[in-house]
Amino acid sequence: MPADLPDRLQHYVGGAHVDSTDGSTFAVLDPVSNETYLHAAAGKAADVDRAVAAARQAFEEGPWPQLLPRERSRVLHRVADIVESRDARLAELESFDSGLPITQALGQARRAAENFRFFADLVVAQTDDAFKVPGRQLNYVNRKPIGVAGLITPWNTPFMLESWKLGPALATGNTVVLKPAEFTPLSASLWAGIFEEAGLPSGVFNLVHGLGEEAGDALVKHPDVPLISFTGESRTGQLIFANAAPHLKGLSMELGGKSPAVVFADADLAAAIDATIFGVFSLNGERCTAGSRILVQREIYDEFVERYAARAQRVVVGPPHEPTTEVGALVHPEHYAKVMRYIELGRTEGRLVAGGGRPEGFPTGNYVAPTVFADVPADARIFQEEIFGPVVAITPFDTDKEALALANGVQYGLAAYVWTNDLRRAHTFAQALDVGMVWLNSNNVRDLRTPFGGVKASGLGHEGGYRSIDFYTHQQAVHVTLGEAHNPTFGKGH
Ligand code: NAD
């Protein structure tokens, strides 16, 4: 257990740490013992009201929205410096709270710092459109922050995903209320100290812990929150979409996935196996872009399945804090039970070739052996539904056309991975995939300037690079006449 753990977490509102108005709390478990190690304040509508009021005041009266981009950028770079300097502690807490392997939690902490640095740089380099009709008209764009942004985040890589929203929301001059996931509130509670130390004015960042149906719901329905950026399950996204509709809020939604990795017979097989093992077993398989369906061309299918299963069996399951651990403990017993139900179902839908339940030597804790099902038909639930754990379905195909139909034949459309050495096939196939992001002969490595987002049930809108800036700002067009005013003249009679 990490040293100096708090035994309770409070909200952070207008620069002060506060309990819930009604004093209520919820229990937080660690995924190895599944015992309660702290209580967090359970926010309700009254707490969200207080946080939104603080954020609104900071937006309307505070200096933050009016600062020069360079001034905000300096604060954000300091945030990145602080996050970097504490990466080991952040990783330790995140790993303990979420069950992520410590080495991977460390990578995510560094990525969180990088997100701040990236948006700190981008907002200074930001240019806006100006158009001129010679002698007649000048048109330019005023870029303005929108107001209080509501940020609702999930429990997988929580700190990094929070940074992904906080960075652009703050860089553009908005004030925020963050509602982190209730399974993993620990690392989120570090933001308050980090922002204070970096010099963010009080009231700009506010945090309300609590359950989705209570605190999250109140934030979505709050009339003074014009923007909601949400990452989580597709079903929750639908609910939020409906609840935000009466207010016509701006919505950015990053939702679930069931991403295919398509391996053609001409692929570099060793590289494809490395990438597809990492693609579904890293981050405990609790990864929105996990390549959780592997489609393999018939000529190499048997060899692929055999080599893949052998590798999966050697993936190291272990305590999250051990540096050698490759798969840690799933976040929560409820999620563990869900993943285990899918594994049981998988035994009836496919051919189990690796894993299949609790690994030997781990009688307690939310441990799952990396599990591989082969010969999974396209109508199987383990082919169609997001499991969000270390479980993968492998399916054979014969032709490009069949591979495409299988790849696109699910409700999700977040990511896809394609392995082939045929240049023309790679690009043609990528274009035909109904997904937001494609990696060709690559594992999931993302340049922060590129668009991020899914299609179909995987999301709404794109963030990433200047697209995040667009989501968090209004673009007001100003039209100016040059020279004589060119007015139609109504009302002069005949
Ligand atoms: P979830 O939808 O259960 O919860 C996400 C957040 O929404 C939590 O903070 C939760 O408290 C809150 N919430 C729940 N109900 C709410 C409601 N009615 N109103 C407002 N807020 C509510 O998701 P999860 O289980 O925490 O996260 C896993 C899911 O997130 C997976 O489906 C995964 O694919 C997805 N995800 C997507 C991306 C992406 O970028 N596309 C990234 C990470 C995770």
Side-chain angles (χ1 to χ4, degrees):
M1 191 181 276
D4 304 323
L5 274 184
D7 59 4
R8 68 182 186 131
L9 297 180
Q10 295 175 292
H11 309 305
Y12 182 71
V13 175
H17 296 273
V18 295
D19 287 323
S20 281
T21 320
D22 67 0
S24 62
T25 61
F26 64 94
V28 184
L29 317 179
D30 83 79
V32 169
S33 74
N34 279 326
E35 283 178 11
T36 302
Y37 76 95
L38 63 72
H39 285 87
K44 309 273 169 56
D47 306 296
V48 169
D49 281 350
R50 283 201 291 179
V52 173
R56 191 174 168 190
Q57 188 180 1
F59 187 77
E60 285 174 357
E61 298 167 21
W64 188 249
Q66 273 80 45
L67 289 182
L68 291 174
R70 169 61 74 201
E71 293 170 322
R72 286 201 296 268
S73 173
R74 278 205 189 95
V75 176
L76 265 52
H77 273 298
R78 283 201 291 273
V79 170
D81 292 341
I82 297 167
V83 169
E84 265 166 14
S85 71
R86 296 200 192 139
D87 57 358
R89 173 70 174 166
L90 262 162
E92 183 189 24
L93 295 182
E94 188 88 307
S95 169
F96 176 75
D97 194 29
S98 69
L100 287 178
I102 185 83
T103 50
Q104 297 169 35
L106 187 64
Q108 297 297 321
R110 292 182 182 151
R111 184 72 164 183
E114 186 55 28
N115 281 335
F116 268 87
R117 231 177 257 307
F118 174 80
F119 286 109
D121 288 341
L122 191 61
V123 81
V124 174
Q126 172 76 32
T127 56
D128 285 310
D129 290 335
F131 307 93
K132 204 167 164 194
V133 184
R136 295 286 287 258
Q137 202 182 38
L138 167 69
N139 311 280
Y140 66 92
V141 169
N142 275 332
R143 173 94 49 176
K144 305 200 280 190
I146 294 176
V148 180
L151 313 179
I152 303 179
T153 48
W155 47 257
N156 66 317
T157 61
F159 191 79
M160 193 284 286
L161 283 174
E162 290 150 17
S163 75
W164 171 240
K165 299 185 189 304
L166 288 165
L170 295 174
T172 44
N174 297 281
T175 60
V176 305
V177 177
L178 170 67
K179 206 305 280 174
E182 56 268 44
F183 282 178
T184 54
L186 184 60
S187 55
S189 66
L190 300 176
W191 286 117
I194 292 169
F195 286 134
E196 279 177 17
E197 215 174 307
L200 192 76
S202 91
V204 173
F205 167 78
N206 303 274
L207 176 144
V208 179
H209 290 292
L211 309 186
E213 310 80 65
E214 296 177 349
D217 185 65
L219 193 56
V220 168
K221 292 177 179 165
H222 202 293
D224 292 338
V225 179
L227 279 186
I228 296 287
S229 177
F230 169 75
T231 300
E233 287 188 18
S234 301
R235 239 174 310 134
T236 317
Q238 288 174 319
L239 202 58
I240 289 177
F241 196 101
N243 289 337
H247 305 279
L248 297 171
K249 296 194 180 205
L251 291 175
S252 170
M253 301 240 184
E254 307 288 3
L255 308 175
K258 188 77 181 180
S259 301
V262 186
V263 184
F264 287 95
D266 66 356
D268 174 342
L269 205 53
I273 289 174
D274 279 343
T276 50
I277 287 273
F278 181 80
V280 71
F281 299 127
S282 56
L283 305 178
N284 297 344
E286 298 162 322
R287 176 178 201 144
C288 55
T289 49
S292 51
R293 297 182 292 144
I294 308 179
L295 313 176
V296 184
Q297 202 155 23
R298 187 89 58 189
E299 294 96 298
I300 56 163
Y301 183 75
D302 289 340
E303 183 190 352
F304 184 93
V305 170
E306 194 181 317
R307 286 171 65 177
Y308 193 89
R311 280 289 288 284
Q313 277 155 5
R314 288 201 297 273
V315 169
V316 181
V317 180
H321 67 271
E322 290 280 351
T324 50
T325 293
E326 293 171 331
V327 172
L330 300 196
V331 69
H332 191 275
E334 274 172 32
H335 182 59
Y336 180 76
K338 173 186 148 182
V339 172
M340 284 301 195
R341 281 196 298 275
Y342 274 111
I343 291 178
E344 286 315 304
L345 179 66
R347 290 172 187 275
T348 67
E349 292 186 323
R351 172 167 62 97
L352 181 70
V353 293
R358 186 177 275 288
E360 272 184 36
F362 295 89
T364 58
N366 306 325
Y367 293 102
V368 179
T371 295
V372 183
F373 291 103
D375 312 344
V376 178
D379 60 355
R381 285 183 56 198
I382 61 163
F383 186 94
Q384 292 289 333
E385 298 175 18
E386 184 181 47
I387 300 173
F388 219 54
V391 182
V392 67
I394 311 185
T395 304
F397 70 86
D398 289 300
T399 62
D400 290 39
K401 194 171 163 212
E402 199 188 334
L404 188 64
L406 286 167
N408 287 341
V410 298
Q411 63 162 328
Y412 296 107
L414 190 57
Y417 307 84
V418 181
W419 290 87
T420 175
N421 278 322
D422 180 331
L423 191 65
R424 188 160 50 172
R425 164 191 275 160
H427 293 288
T428 311
F429 199 85
Q431 166 118 38
L433 284 163
D434 284 338
V435 300
M437 296 166 280
V438 182
W439 277 270
L440 295 179
N441 296 326
S442 169
N443 121 61
N444 183 331
V445 178
R446 196 177 146 259
D447 180 326
L448 288 176
R449 294 168 297 186
T450 58
F452 185 98
V455 300
K456 303 199 288 188
S458 290
L460 187 70
H462 286 94
E463 294 204 37
Y466 63 79
R467 297 157 201 86
S468 301
I469 304 282
D470 284 348
F471 174 69
Y472 289 105
T473 52
H474 284 310
Q475 295 183 60
Q476 178 193 56
V478 180
H479 308 274
V480 187
T481 294
L482 300 177
E484 297 270 308
H486 299 276
N487 291 330
T489 51
F490 274 26
K492 285 195 168 171
H494 291 292

